[in-house]
């Protein structure tokens, strides 16, 4: 895709909705944790089979993964970066803002704009 245009999972028929995707990326870039879970085992926190996962590929080609485990409480999830041991506690609301349906993330690619016909006849008579 051209610079500034989002594609979602390589689907050439759809384009990402920039405001929604920008909001998700803004949330990820300023991720705020409620607590650190120093003494919780990965299997106890639900990372044997994470309930959700976000994978982004940076412009450098480097993949970044965020895994959501189980719920610590009715208002908090266990979270970790893919492949790392450190587990964080994050509010349910913050986690929920990251997960959108395909229709929330993207829409049909717009048809190319028709090129306006700018040719016209000059019907004015030269003045004498």
């Amino acid at each position: 895709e051209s610079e500034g245009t989002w594609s979602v999972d390589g689907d050439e028929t759809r384009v990402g909705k920039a405001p929604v995707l920008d909001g998700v990326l803004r949330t990820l870039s300023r991720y705020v944790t409620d607590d650190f879970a120093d003494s919780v085992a990965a299997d106890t926190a639900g990372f044997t089979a994470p309930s959700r996962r976000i994978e982004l590929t940076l412009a450098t080609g480097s993949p970044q993964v965020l895994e959501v485990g189980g719920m610590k409480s009715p208002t908090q999830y266990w979270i970790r970066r893919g492949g790392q041991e450190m587990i964080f506690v994050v509010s349910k609301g913050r986690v929920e803002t990251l997960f959108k349906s395909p229709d929330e993330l993207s829409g049909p690619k717009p048809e190319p704009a028709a090129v306006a016909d700018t040719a016209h006849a000059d019907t004015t008579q030269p003045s004498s």
Side-chain angles (χ1 to χ4, degrees), residues 30-71:
R30 296 186 227 155
Y31 217 71
V32 176
T33 62
D34 295 346
D35 200 0
F36 297 93
D38 294 330
S39 60
V40 176
D43 58 340
T44 301
F47 291 109
T48 303
S51 63
R52 299 181 199 181
R53 175 183 166 101
I54 290 180
E55 184 171 339
L56 301 170
T57 303
L58 303 180
T60 62
S62 171
Q64 297 295 311
V65 177
L66 183 69
E67 296 176 327
V68 180
M71 294 194 77

Side-chain angles (χ1 to χ4, degrees), residues 98-110:
L98 297 174
F99 293 91
K100 308 288 184 191
S101 72
D103 287 336
E104 290 174 301
L105 289 173
S106 68
K109 187 180 238 180

Side-chain angles (χ1 to χ4, degrees), residues 11-126:
D11 186 343
E12 297 295 324
T13 66
R14 297 179 68 81
V15 293
K17 295 178 180 175
V20 176
L21 291 164
D22 288 344
V24 168
L25 291 176
R26 197 171 24 261
T27 298
L28 284 170
S29 69
R30 296 186 227 155
Y31 217 71
V32 176
T33 62
D34 295 346
D35 200 0
F36 297 93
D38 294 330
S39 60
V40 176
D43 58 340
T44 301
F47 291 109
T48 303
S51 63
R52 299 181 199 181
R53 175 183 166 101
I54 290 180
E55 184 171 339
L56 301 170
T57 303
L58 303 180
T60 62
S62 171
Q64 297 295 311
V65 177
L66 183 69
E67 296 176 327
V68 180
M71 294 194 77
K72 178 184 186 236
S73 73
T75 61
Q76 296 175 314
Y77 280 99
W78 303 106
I79 301 288
R80 75 174 179 184
R81 287 184 62 185
Q84 297 192 4
E85 291 184 28
M86 177 59 73
I87 297 172
F88 305 93
V89 178
V90 177
S91 73
K92 180 180 178 180
R94 188 167 295 278
V95 171
E96 298 296 327
T97 63
L98 297 174
F99 293 91
K100 308 288 184 191
S101 72
D103 287 336
E104 290 174 301
L105 289 173
S106 68
K109 187 180 238 180
E111 294 294 321
V115 176
D117 184 7
T118 57
H120 61 279
D122 187 358
T123 58
T124 59
Q125 297 293 323

